[in-house]
Amino acid sequence: MKHLLHYILPVAALLTVACSNIDENERLITIGELPEKEEGKTTDDMLETLTEPVPRYVLLEDFTGQECPNCPVATKIIGEIEATYNVVPVAIHSKPMGINENDNPQGLGTDLGDSYAKHWNLTSQPQGLIDRVGGMLFPHTNWLQLVGASIGQKRTSLVDIRIDPLYVAEDNSADVAVYVASVKDSAAVAGKLQLWITEDSIIAPQDSMSTKLPNYVHNHVLRAAINGDWGEDVSVGGGDIRTIEHHIKLKSQWKPRHLSVVAFIYNDNGVVQATRKRLIEE
């Protein structure tokens, strides 16, 4: 029973707050970054200035598929959420209505997406995870309220994540450095750090109600996991910083200028913090 309550209570709290209006001040918050490196200073020296909580971003995992007629509606809702709240959306193409890239060159589904769909017991699309609270999937009609409720409950985080990616054109690969920092004098936060590659502006077919759209623009599409399907252990506290570095070979069909690195930390209570950064800044 205690284990069940551990998941039910946070979800119930989100649903309760979702029924009320979210104050304007609890919506978009300007995201802070770790200070730029100054000559003669180490990263640890710079982190002494990280003395206050930073704006928190909500992770929205959108389980979608190219044969899902209602999924374009969900995509429009994500656009409304992005315009209103601090959110990191990721479109996970998977079964039951996804087209796997191994079966069709225009497919956006992956074995990785299918494994996540199986893990979260996905049976229909569109469905979404909001900060993985309770491990519960919600229909797209609830996303806007639930993201607002999550921001309203907790606007800041004691953990900051900065991504420093480098595209290597010579072999079409990427070096990804991630800095995970905690606010000075804060308690330790432990969990898993997950790194993903996503891609925007993909032109591929999409079902939409009673019609098929051959040149639909897909965004936030999950392409691959950089550091394993479920990430790696990380723990920070008291002003600590952790530096994690990875290298990934990019697939030829991916467009480097449309790629982003998504990073988030999660544990049994849900997502602690999330962020993303384009692989190549325009």
Side-chain angles (χ1 to χ4, degrees), residues 59-220:
L59 179 71
L60 196 171
E61 294 169 84
D62 165 28
F63 283 91
T64 186
Q66 290 167 271
E67 295 179 341
C68 167
N70 288 324
C71 286
V73 177
T75 299
K76 290 182 180 179
I77 291 174
I78 289 175
E80 294 176 21
I81 295 172
E82 286 188 289
T84 309
Y85 299 111
N86 291 334
V87 64
V88 177
V90 178
I92 304 175
H93 287 253
S94 69
K95 297 175 180 178
M97 289 183 279
I99 301 175
N100 196 289
E101 62 183 2
N102 297 321
D103 301 326
N104 186 323
Q106 289 191 299
L108 302 178
T110 61
D111 292 341
L112 177 65
D114 287 343
S115 70
Y116 290 149
K118 182 178 180 181
H119 176 83
W120 300 113
N121 298 314
L122 180 76
T123 57
S124 64
Q125 292 157 307
Q127 294 277 325
L129 292 166
I130 310 298
D131 267 344
R132 296 189 172 180
V133 175
M136 293 184 65
L137 291 161
F138 293 95
H140 61 288
T141 50
N142 291 345
W143 294 352
L144 181 59
Q145 287 183 317
L146 288 171
V147 171
S150 184
I151 290 290
Q153 280 191 308
K154 191 175 182 182
R155 298 176 58 198
T156 61
S157 175
L158 296 175
V159 175
D160 199 9
I161 306 172
R162 187 177 72 176
I163 307 169
D164 186 15
L166 175 65
Y167 175 58
V168 184
E170 288 74 13
D171 64 351
N172 194 39
S173 66
D175 293 321
V176 179
V178 178
Y179 305 97
V180 180
S182 63
V183 174
K184 190 175 182 180
D185 299 326
S186 64
V189 174
K192 294 278 190 179
L193 171 69
Q194 179 72 72
L195 304 177
W196 284 338
I197 287 282
T198 64
E199 186 172 359
D200 292 327
S201 304
I202 303 173
I203 308 299
Q206 174 66 51
D207 285 3
S208 179
M209 303 308 290
S210 59
T211 186
K212 291 184 179 292
L213 306 174
N215 298 309
Y216 186 80
V217 180
H218 297 264
N219 291 312
H220 321 302

Side-chain angles (χ1 to χ4, degrees), residues 31 139 149:
I31 185 68

